[in-house]
Amino acid sequence: QLQLVESGGALVQPGGSLRLSCAASGFTLDYNAISWFRQTPGKEREGVSCINSSGGSTNYADSVKGRFTISRDNAKNTVYLQMNSLKPEDTAVYYCAARNAVYCSPAWGQKDYWYRYWGQGTQVTVSS
């Protein structure tokens, strides 16, 4: 029964905003670094953002810096990804993943096999 569930994906126009949520069931996120990844058919899975267990440190892919913000509410066992100024190239299935570690690794977006739990994904489509 241990799982992560993403929600909040939708169809949005370029320049619009979305907030994705990642809720954990069956375990606590308190001691997990959490990352968001995205996947488009034909492309490598891309690390989007990472947040450490306390929420005090974050990492972002260059492609989303200044537009996306990751945050967490450990009392609600939930992590969020606020996405602003969305572009068509942001279209993807977005996944959250939990790694059993306090800190984001410098390779947080590269070594996806480090992550213990994965959500089912939520579709984000940016189009006119």
Side-chain angles (χ1 to χ4, degrees), residues 39-52:
Q39 182 86 59
T40 301
K43 295 183 178 180
E44 294 281 331
R45 194 197 318 271
E46 177 186 16
V48 176
S49 186
C50 184
I51 188 166
N52 73 344

Side-chain angles (χ1 to χ4, degrees), residues 1-19:
Q1 298 286 0
L2 280 62
Q3 63 180 3
L4 296 172
V5 179
E6 303 96 334
S7 62
L11 172 65
V12 64
Q13 293 185 339
S17 297
L18 287 173
R19 189 182 73 159

Side-chain angles (χ1 to χ4, degrees), residues 53-124:
S53 63
S54 69
S57 181
T58 58
N59 299 87
Y60 298 93
D62 289 342
S63 59
V64 306
K65 286 181 179 177
R67 299 188 298 120
F68 291 10
T69 302
I70 190 170
S71 62
R72 66 193 299 159
D73 186 342
N74 284 348
K76 296 181 178 180
N77 222 20
T78 301
V79 174
Y80 306 96
L81 184 67
Q82 179 67 45
M83 305 186 295
N84 299 326
S85 302
L86 283 163
K87 304 175 180 179
E89 50 263 44
D90 295 317
T91 296
V93 178
Y94 283 72
Y95 301 89
C96 64
R99 190 169 72 91
N100 189 24
V102 174
Y103 304 107
C104 297
S105 167
W108 60 270
Q110 301 172 20
K111 298 183 178 180
D112 55 1
Y113 52 85
W114 284 358
Y115 293 86
R116 184 179 182 184
Y117 301 111
W118 289 81
Q120 84 291 342
T122 186
Q123 177 70 51
V124 173

